[in-house]
Amino acid sequence: MYEMKDEYLTGIEFIDNEHRRLFEIAEETYQLKNAEFIPDKYDQINDLLNELKEYTIMHFSHEEEYMQSIGYKKLFTQKTQHQAFINWLEEHELEGIDEEYEDQDAVIDNILKYLTDWLVNHILYTDKQIPASESNS
Ligand SMILES: [Fe+2]
Ligand SMILES: [Fe+2]
């Protein structure tokens, strides 16, 4: 369902590796959600969603450090987009998927979809513009 694709590659190795990991965690969450007869499934899903959130926040700071280090002029735009997304992640308390929810699988699907749609869009239109090293861009 969720995977890194060639079209997402930025050509900057650490960024591509971190993006790949984000898709892996999303996929793992999705698979677990669909798996049957797993004890404590929703606890594990909550852990994965939390990991996804933490990893995303860490990834943003790595990316920002890199952009800063090469004097990238669109750093501010990136920071603004990252922060808006962190706000969304925090508002949605990903760790709080509750077994009492009427349709918890749908809640998980919606979160994964929103998160990965945002990520793909941000990678394609924003991260892919980041230059591999100091350049004129
Ligand atoms: Fe990124
Ligand atoms: Fe970014």
Side-chain angles (χ1 to χ4, degrees):
M1 184 65 158
Y2 300 112
E3 59 174 359
M4 181 74 179
K5 295 182 182 153
D6 284 353
E7 62 181 306
Y8 304 157
L9 292 171
T10 64
I12 302 162
E13 203 181 353
F14 87 88
I15 293 180
D16 291 333
N17 288 340
E18 291 184 358
H19 289 162
R20 183 172 292 109
R21 179 72 193 133
L22 286 168
F23 287 109
E24 278 170 8
I25 306 169
E27 179 63 17
E28 215 180 314
T29 312
Y30 180 77
Q31 295 296 341
L32 185 59
K33 187 220 74 184
N34 288 329
E36 289 183 64
F37 312 121
I38 309 253
D40 301 323
K41 180 163 115 168
Y42 290 97
D43 287 346
Q44 293 181 54
I45 288 174
N46 281 336
D47 288 347
L48 282 168
L49 287 173
N50 210 38
E51 188 183 341
L52 203 45
K53 172 180 165 180
E54 298 298 319
Y55 197 89
T56 300
I57 294 170
M58 186 197 71
H59 164 65
F60 287 165
S61 68
H62 287 165
E63 234 179 53
E64 288 169 14
E65 270 169 40
Y66 171 74
M67 291 184 279
Q68 178 109 47
S69 78
I70 61 165
Y72 184 45
K73 65 180 180 189
K74 291 182 184 160
L75 173 62
F76 182 75
T77 308
Q78 278 267 3
K79 274 191 165 172
T80 307
Q81 290 192 20
H82 290 167
Q83 190 55 52
F85 192 61
I86 290 172
N87 292 347
W88 183 85
L89 289 169
E90 283 176 347
E91 274 163 28
H92 285 77
E93 306 232 10
L94 299 188
E95 66 280 8
I97 301 290
D98 196 314
E99 286 194 47
E100 323 254 299
Y101 278 177
E102 187 71 19
D103 192 350
Q104 48 196 337
D105 283 8
V107 174
I108 295 160
D109 280 340
N110 285 339
I111 288 173
L112 283 179
K113 181 165 179 2
Y114 184 87
L115 202 142
T116 50
D117 280 354
W118 187 92
L119 200 62
V120 166
N121 194 62
H122 180 79
I123 290 171
L124 290 177
Y125 298 104
T126 310
D127 285 348
K128 279 187 82 165
Q129 296 181 17
I130 304 171
S133 62
E134 273 145 304
S135 74
N136 304 322
S137 46

